[in-house]
Amino acid sequence: MADLTLYHASPSRSSTTLWMLEELGEPYDINLLKLSEGDQQKPDYLAVNPMGKVPTLKHNGVVITEVAAICTYLADAFPQKKLNVPVGDPRRGPYLKWLFFGPSCFEPAVIDRAAPRKEEARRAMLGYGDFDTTMNVIAKAVAKGPWILGEQFTAADVVIGSGVRWGTMFNLVPRRPEFDAYSARIAARPAAQRAEAKDKELGAK
Ligand SMILES: N[C@@H](CCC(=O)N[C@@H](CS)C(=O)NCC(=O)O)C(=O)O
């Protein structure tokens, strides 16, 4: 049994953490849940993640939930893999900003667009402000490349990159040249390809 176990449903938000584990290259086990069969609400799983959501990661008995937290955690737990920006490096600030921007701005902006509220919220009430500004900010950040922090690929690219890739694929994020080029760079990564193939295989189970 590996020290790392991912509670995963395929495909889902936990696919982002599957990709992160492939980037990491450490051995891991998968505990596959079928959301359609309600596995996420079964008592055994609720004991691990009372939110009834995937993903959940167990590392040496420690439980971590939330996609961006899992990616941040893994990058910091295995610093030799160079997927993090360590404390003390001035790039740590922007690195953390993008890791948080994923779940606090990018995803809510996309989900609000996909499932609009009956009454539009005031811009000031929304953490992401508005959809177009959020997309413009991400497009500018990935335009130069190759990665969000420049030459180094980090966990921030896994979090933001997953959103850009899946969002454009499902027409929830607008197609724009910056996003297409960034997605193509991601698609060329062997770890992203391995994760995608594994997810397909698991999804068919
Ligand atoms: N904030 C969570 C969201 C996780 C989430 O919504 N996962 C979905 C899969 S895409 C899920 O478990 N849905 C099953 C359900 O709600 O019953 C995270 O970032 O990990």
Side-chain angles (χ1 to χ4, degrees):
M1 216 175 103
D3 293 339
L4 291 162
T5 300
L6 180 68
Y7 294 77
H8 174 62
S10 201
S12 74
R13 283 174 174 90
S14 65
S15 302
T16 304
T17 50
L18 183 70
W19 173 25
M20 181 66 196
L21 283 163
E22 285 296 328
E23 292 286 349
L24 203 68
E26 288 289 316
Y28 63 93
D29 292 326
I30 287 189
N31 189 321
L32 193 63
L33 279 78
K34 287 261 177 220
L35 299 182
S36 55
E37 290 172 18
D39 288 348
Q40 70 278 27
Q41 291 297 339
K42 291 184 177 156
D44 279 4
Y45 186 66
L46 289 175
V48 184
N49 183 352
M51 291 295 285
K53 294 275 185 184
V54 288
T56 297
L57 181 79
K58 250 193 202 171
H59 181 215
N60 290 329
V62 176
V63 171
I64 308 112
T65 62
E66 299 299 316
V67 170
I70 291 170
C71 293
T72 308
Y73 173 88
L74 285 172
D76 282 341
F78 298 87
Q80 69 278 18
K81 306 288 178 170
K82 303 254 180 289
L83 292 167
N84 74 338
V85 175
V87 173
D89 184 318
R91 296 172 311 135
R92 176 86 179 172
Y95 167 68
L96 289 178
K97 170 260 182 81
W98 288 116
L99 285 164
F100 282 70
F101 197 87
S104 59
C105 294
F106 191 9
E107 186 181 308
V110 171
I111 297 296
D112 279 358
R113 166 128 327 176
R117 293 177 166 83
K118 278 197 187 129
E119 272 179 45
E120 215 167 293
R122 281 183 300 113
R123 187 184 192 285
M125 272 180 75
L126 299 171
Y128 61 86
D130 64 82
F131 183 86
D132 289 341
T133 303
T134 306
M135 296 304 134
N136 289 341
V137 165
I138 296 172
K140 191 168 172 216
V142 301
K144 184 159 176 268
W147 309 115
I148 207 154
L149 293 178
E151 290 305 315
Q152 186 192 356
F153 178 90
T154 67
D157 290 294
V158 177
V159 170
I160 298 294
S162 282
V164 168
R165 275 188 97 194
W166 297 109
T168 44
M169 216 174 274
F170 292 107
N171 291 324
L172 299 171
V173 166
R175 293 292 296 272
R176 31 200 301 178
E178 302 92 327
F179 292 160
D180 285 349
Y182 185 51
S183 296
R185 290 193 289 276
I186 290 170
R189 294 185 70 79
Q193 291 166 6
R194 283 196 303 275
E196 209 169 314
K198 203 169 235 187
D199 227 6
K200 260 197 198 127
E201 190 190 310
L202 293 169
K205 282 193 179 174

